[in-house]
Amino acid sequence: CLVSGELNDAAVKKYDLEAWFPGQGAYRELVSCSNCTDYQARGVGTRCGSKQGAQGDMNARASYAHFLNSTLCATGRGICCLLENYQTEDGVKVPDVLVPFMGGMDFLPFVRGPLETTKGEKKAKKTKPAKK
């Protein structure tokens, strides 16, 4: 949770998820989520609830919705963090907490098959005169 001095006018609470990047020697933000209550809803007129109800029933009137602002997990940053922390000479060790989501795989080996011939290389082979 961030301190109030770090918040913008819209947010009343904000959470940042950070991860350690050993190559940079620093923690970097992966995702951020802010509770903006009804600040943004008032600007765009977004209401929720029922407009009809008994006369004087305060719960029956429509009120402004409360918004959450959040970035999805920056996938590239997450992958970089995993690679920097779990990469070995032969591949990438899957962190124990992620193994169930990887179908039980606990290691991703670096495997590279033979390179495929490009269209340009195939064409050059066909047009090249045979040596005698």
Side-chain angles (χ1 to χ4, degrees):
C1 190
L2 290 162
V3 295
S4 59
E6 293 291 319
L7 298 175
N8 59 25
D9 290 341
V12 294
K13 188 179 278 190
K14 180 178 179 181
Y15 290 96
D16 283 346
L17 176 64
E18 296 182 339
W20 176 252
F21 286 80
Q24 299 175 15
Y27 284 93
R28 297 285 182 231
E29 182 181 311
L30 295 179
V31 65
S32 176
C33 184
S34 301
N35 181 351
C36 297
T37 65
D38 62 358
Y39 180 88
Q40 292 175 317
R42 289 178 184 278
V44 294
T46 304
R47 293 179 176 261
C48 61
S50 174
K51 289 186 179 181
Q52 299 176 353
Q55 187 72 11
D57 182 3
M58 293 299 287
N59 293 325
R61 67 184 175 95
S63 59
Y64 288 103
H66 284 213
F67 287 0
L68 292 177
N69 263 359
S70 182
T71 54
L72 293 175
C73 185
T75 309
R77 292 183 197 167
I79 291 171
C80 288
C81 180
L82 289 171
L83 289 175
E84 283 195 28
N85 284 285
Y86 294 94
Q87 183 172 328
T88 68
E89 194 172 306
D90 300 320
V92 179
K93 183 186 177 313
V94 177
D96 294 338
V97 296
L98 296 180
V99 170
F101 302 100
M102 295 292 293
M105 290 178 64
D106 61 355
F107 190 75
L108 302 171
F110 293 138
V111 178
R112 180 178 225 162
L115 295 176
E116 291 184 26
T117 308
T118 65
K119 289 180 183 178
E121 291 171 332
K122 289 177 184 175
K123 187 176 179 181
K125 283 183 182 179
K126 288 180 182 177
T127 58
K128 197 176 198 180
K131 291 184 179 180
K132 291 185 180 184

